[in-house]
Amino acid sequence: MMYYLMERVNGSLQEWQKTHDMKLYQNINSGRTRISYSYYPQFWIDMRKRPTFEEALVHLIKRSRPLENTNQTVLVAGGVQWLNPDHLQIIHKVLKRENLLDILVIIKSIGMGFHLPVHGIRSLSPVQVKQLSGENRLILKTAKLYGYEVVDTFSITMGRYKEFLQGKCGCHFHEVLKSKQVKERKMKLLKNYTFFGKIFPHVYDNLSYLKSLYHVQGPVNQVYSEILLSRMCT
């Protein structure tokens, strides 16, 4: 989602890498916007040494300062499977302590990527999926109590198994192509596609995207990334 938004705002994507760490970008929106990103949880670290969610959030805030305590500062938090209502409580506690309660917080809910019946990846039974749906509703309810915006990726990804792009992480509804691949595939792709009765144009119909070194592709990812963008710009 982050790289999609970078490409959307800048009109091109000149830098991309698999991000399982902290990254800072200052070349967004002609230098007027900065993006800080932190990957959580760092599952490859021993449990006893792994940073907690609160520690990761505090570290991200400190690395991102100076920050304005206004809705011009946006915190987006979410995870495919680990997010639960307790994390929202931690977000509120940390923001209060850091004097950032007036920033815009957007919660990206649970996704179905890890839970789809894809060969080679663990999946959930129908009963477990129902339980997961209940957990997601609780996340949305808790977010509303704190006044946070939400992007309900669970409902978007629930039935979109055909767009699931299996990779080593097994949770993605997008892929990043190099510019040469974009040009090769461009003629093979439909000009528009429909999602919930709404027509979405493929972003690479705009010729400026063909000048990118990279392009983020995936209709499901595009839909919830555009929703995220609309939450930021409301």
Side-chain angles (χ1 to χ4, degrees), residues 186-226:
K186 185 173 185 290
M187 299 305 296
K188 300 178 183 179
L189 296 167
L190 295 175
K191 185 175 181 181
N192 299 303
Y193 65 92
T194 303
F195 193 91
F196 283 115
K198 184 175 181 180
I199 297 176
F200 284 80
H202 283 298
V203 292
Y204 37 76
D205 284 341
N206 186 333
L207 292 179
S208 66
Y209 288 93
L210 297 181
K211 300 176 183 178
S212 298
L213 292 179
Y214 301 97
H215 170 63
V216 182
Q217 177 176 296
V220 175
N221 179 76
Q222 181 184 355
V223 168
Y224 53 62
S225 295
E226 288 289 341

Side-chain angles (χ1 to χ4, degrees), residues 100 116 140 153 197 228:
L100 291 170
L116 293 172
L140 300 180
T153 47
L228 174 61

Side-chain angles (χ1 to χ4, degrees), residues 40-41 52-54 57 75 77-79 81-94 105 107 135 139 142 146 148:
Y40 178 87
T52 65
F53 177 73
E54 182 171 344
L57 178 57
L75 172 66
Q81 61 175 349
W82 55 265
L83 186 68
N84 65 57
D86 292 340
H87 292 106
L88 277 64
Q89 183 179 3
I90 293 172
I91 289 173
H92 180 78
K93 180 179 71 173
V94 170
V105 179
I107 302 299
E135 180 77 7
I139 291 171
T142 305
Y146 283 116
Y148 299 158

Side-chain angles (χ1 to χ4, degrees), residues 2-234:
M2 178 182 69
Y3 285 114
Y4 175 91
L5 294 181
M6 289 170 61
E7 183 180 9
R8 182 78 157 77
V9 172
N10 282 354
S12 64
L13 185 62
Q14 305 302 324
E15 180 180 353
W16 171 80
Q17 59 181 293
K18 294 179 180 179
T19 311
H20 283 174
D21 202 347
M22 177 172 283
K23 290 289 293 182
L24 304 175
Y25 295 98
Q26 302 192 41
N27 58 337
I28 311 300
N29 195 21
S30 300
R32 294 189 293 269
T33 302
R34 292 181 295 119
I35 293 179
S36 302
Y37 170 88
S38 181
Y39 187 91
Y40 178 87
Q42 295 177 311
F43 54 84
W44 58 92
I45 299 177
D46 185 271
M47 283 286 292
R48 294 166 294 181
K49 300 179 181 179
R50 188 181 302 172
T52 65
F53 177 73
E54 182 171 344
E55 290 170 340
L57 178 57
V58 170
H59 185 52
L60 176 67
I61 290 173
K62 291 188 181 303
R63 286 288 302 273
S64 304
R65 288 194 180 276
L67 296 170
E68 296 180 6
N69 185 28
T70 70
N71 62 3
Q72 294 300 299
T73 300
V74 182
L75 172 66
V76 181
V80 173
Q81 61 175 349
W82 55 265
L83 186 68
N84 65 57
D86 292 340
H87 292 106
L88 277 64
Q89 183 179 3
I90 293 172
I91 289 173
H92 180 78
K93 180 179 71 173
V94 170
L95 293 182
K96 183 177 181 180
R97 189 170 66 221
E98 298 289 333
N99 193 31
L100 291 170
L101 282 178
D102 291 333
I103 71 171
L104 175 62
V105 179
I106 304 175
I107 302 299
K108 172 188 169 293
S109 71
I110 296 171
M112 280 297 292
F114 274 122
H115 312 299
L116 293 172
V118 177
H119 179 70
I121 298 177
R122 72 176 184 85
S123 60
L124 302 182
S125 68
V127 173
Q128 290 173 313
V129 171
K130 186 176 181 180
Q131 292 172 342
L132 193 69
S133 178
E135 180 77 7
N136 190 70
R137 286 196 298 271
L138 188 56
I139 291 171
L140 300 180
K141 182 179 179 180
T142 305
K144 185 177 180 179
L145 290 175
Y146 283 116
Y148 299 158
E149 294 283 349
V150 297
V151 178
D152 186 10
T153 47
F154 183 85
S155 63
I156 296 173
T157 59
M158 179 73 174
R160 308 298 292 188
Y161 64 93
K162 289 184 179 180
E163 285 83 7
F164 174 62
L165 299 170
Q166 184 178 359
K168 291 183 178 179
C169 290
C171 61
H172 297 300
F173 286 87
H174 75 277
E175 59 182 334
V176 179
L177 303 177
K178 291 186 177 180
S179 57
K180 183 179 179 181
Q181 293 173 294
V182 175
K183 293 176 183 178
E184 290 174 349
R185 293 190 183 191
K186 185 173 185 290
M187 299 305 296
K188 300 178 183 179
L189 296 167
L190 295 175
K191 185 175 181 181
N192 299 303
Y193 65 92
T194 303
F195 193 91
F196 283 115
K198 184 175 181 180
I199 297 176
F200 284 80
H202 283 298
V203 292
Y204 37 76
D205 284 341
N206 186 333
L207 292 179
S208 66
Y209 288 93
L210 297 181
K211 300 176 183 178
S212 298
L213 292 179
Y214 301 97
H215 170 63
V216 182
Q217 177 176 296
V220 175
N221 179 76
Q222 181 184 355
V223 168
Y224 53 62
S225 295
E226 288 289 341
I227 294 173
L228 174 61
L229 187 61
S230 73
R231 298 288 188 270
M232 291 180 175
C233 300
T234 299

